[in-house]
Amino acid sequence: MSIIINDLVEAYIEGLYRSRNNFLKNLREGAEREGVPIITKDTENFLSVLLSIHRPERILEIGTAVGYSAIFSASVISKTKIISVEMDEHMYERALINIEASQMENRISVLKGDAREIISDLNESFDMVFIDAAKGHYKSFFEGSLKLLKPKGIIVSDNVLYKGMTASNEFLLKRKRTIVKRMRAYLEYLYHHTEFETAILSIGDGVAVSVRKVEE
Ligand SMILES: C[S@@+](CC[C@H](N)C(=O)[O-])C[C@H]1O[C@@H](n2cnc3c(N)ncnc32)[C@H](O)[C@@H]1O
């Protein structure tokens, strides 16, 4: 598919988008105005379908930013409890304020620190892990999450196509070379994982969905 058609299709799908509620609408608009990276509208739409099918009771999110995707996910499934991890002090504080304002503080907890360390100390189990943090560390996040994932759990990795850079050197920015190399290695790793089936979807900035292989 040419990039132009892809852009047209994306714009069309984006035109269909409606915010779930006014709180999320304002939160998205504020984040977009400030350039805070949050899930794209089509990724949000995909997540809402995935959450509705999978109905996770517990989600581990890696990368909170201002709390948008956590608040969104909690609003889709009313029984879901979320632990989200954020290492940036300022984002962490803002996420807490937004989560309180959304009245979701009983269902969403934010842990401050580097997820690579925090998840190794967690002892809880999760139905879903949403990886949306430093792209160079996705493999560590994935491997660290495995011991916390329930047998039928799923791992969703966002931004895996990284503005097309993962797929083609044509789009590659020199300063992103190392991150892109790591992301490519991560996707190779996921695709050839002996325990997981993975699909990469060209939704938003690229979403990989991984589930455990069915045992025959
Ligand atoms: C793309 S944003 C998350 C967006 C959020 N999931 C949403 O859609 O609303 C990525 C966040 O991950 C955080 N981050 C990056 N590396 C991290 C790490 N190793 N541990 C915890 N947080 C990290 C960044 O500070 C940033 O706020």
Side-chain angles (χ1 to χ4, degrees):
M1 192 189 307
S2 83
I3 289 169
I4 292 167
I5 292 175
N6 203 12
D7 280 351
L8 283 175
V9 171
E10 269 176 31
Y12 169 71
I13 295 172
E14 192 158 301
L16 296 173
Y17 172 87
R18 294 286 175 275
S19 282
R20 208 172 170 81
N21 57 46
N22 273 340
F23 184 86
L24 286 165
K25 184 173 188 284
N26 292 335
L27 193 53
R28 171 176 285 288
E29 285 173 358
E32 287 175 352
R33 238 187 342 263
E34 288 180 55
V36 175
I38 61 168
I39 49 170
T40 63
K41 290 172 180 169
D42 48 351
T43 300
E44 172 179 324
N45 185 229
F46 171 68
L47 268 187
S48 69
V49 172
L50 189 65
L51 289 164
S52 303
I53 295 169
H54 188 53
R55 301 187 161 270
E57 284 179 15
R58 299 183 54 79
I59 300 174
L60 171 64
E61 177 180 72
I62 301 175
T64 322
V66 291
Y68 184 86
S69 52
I71 296 169
F72 172 77
S73 300
S75 77
V76 175
I77 304 291
S78 57
K79 65 176 182 183
T80 298
K81 292 210 167 178
I82 300 173
I83 292 182
S84 188
V85 187
E86 174 57 55
M87 72 187 299
D88 181 273
E89 172 86 39
H90 179 59
M91 287 294 171
Y92 168 78
E93 297 294 344
R94 291 184 60 185
L96 291 188
I97 291 168
N98 289 329
I99 290 163
E100 198 182 336
S102 72
Q103 302 183 323
M104 297 275 192
E105 65 270 35
N106 295 333
R107 295 173 48 214
I108 306 172
S109 320
V110 187
L111 305 177
K112 187 173 62 169
D114 189 327
R116 286 171 295 172
E117 287 153 27
I118 289 193
I119 56 183
S120 68
D121 294 337
L122 286 176
N123 282 316
E124 298 161 63
S125 56
F126 297 90
D127 305 284
M128 176 169 159
V129 178
F130 181 54
I131 302 177
D132 189 16
K135 295 171 194 69
H137 300 308
Y138 272 30
K139 189 173 174 204
S140 306
F141 299 144
F142 184 95
E143 290 189 328
S145 305
L146 287 183
K147 71 171 174 45
L148 308 173
L149 192 68
K150 290 185 191 171
K152 292 191 175 169
I154 63 175
I155 300 186
V156 179
S157 310
D158 197 15
N159 306 113
V160 294
L161 295 177
Y162 201 11
K163 302 180 198 322
M165 289 190 277
T166 312
S168 170
N169 283 341
E170 196 187 329
F171 306 108
L172 185 59
L173 301 174
K174 249 186 178 175
R175 62 193 161 84
K176 301 288 185 187
R177 265 192 311 209
T178 305
I179 294 177
V180 169
K181 197 172 156 198
R182 285 172 158 228
M183 186 55 87
R184 287 175 180 167
Y186 175 61
L187 295 181
E188 285 278 333
Y189 160 82
L190 284 186
Y191 252 63
H192 301 115
H193 203 292
T194 51
E195 280 175 55
F196 282 84
E197 305 278 9
T198 292
I200 299 170
L201 310 172
S202 57
I203 293 171
D205 199 20
V207 182
V209 182
S210 307
V211 293
R212 282 207 174 83
K213 288 185 176 170
V214 177
E215 283 179 31
E216 296 297 342

